[in-house]
Amino acid sequence: MEKLLDYHDFKIFWMVSQHNSISKAAFILKYSQSSVSIRIKQLEKELNCQLLLRNNRGISLTSAGRTLR
């Protein structure tokens, strides 16, 4: 039986993509920044693709991330 993907992970990803910020999405959703980051990484693992490019200046969406958004 296949595992269903978690709706909340998609909601978190959508908020991150709308604000281009894990910190801002975490604040709005009332989650810690680390929990948002962990949930995004889990979603990427389950989808088997990278959704965000992370660097010291922030984040940007990959082509897969733009498609999912």
Side-chain angles (χ1 to χ4, degrees), residues 2-64:
E2 290 186 37
K3 178 183 175 190
L4 295 176
L5 297 173
D6 191 340
Y7 163 78
H8 296 290
D9 290 346
F10 285 107
K11 180 179 176 183
I12 290 168
F13 168 75
W14 186 83
M15 288 298 286
V16 169
S17 70
Q18 290 299 303
H19 297 284
N20 288 326
S21 169
I22 291 173
S23 299
K24 191 177 277 190
F27 177 78
I28 291 168
L29 294 168
K30 297 181 172 51
Y31 293 147
S32 69
Q33 182 178 348
S34 62
S35 67
V36 169
S37 184
I38 289 167
R39 299 290 293 264
I40 295 292
K41 287 179 184 177
Q42 181 62 35
L43 181 61
E44 289 176 324
K45 182 179 176 184
E46 290 175 7
L47 295 174
N48 196 31
C49 65
Q50 187 174 4
L51 301 172
L52 303 175
L53 296 174
R54 299 157 180 87
N55 60 45
N56 58 352
R57 293 184 181 204
I59 60 138
S60 59
L61 296 174
T62 63
S63 60

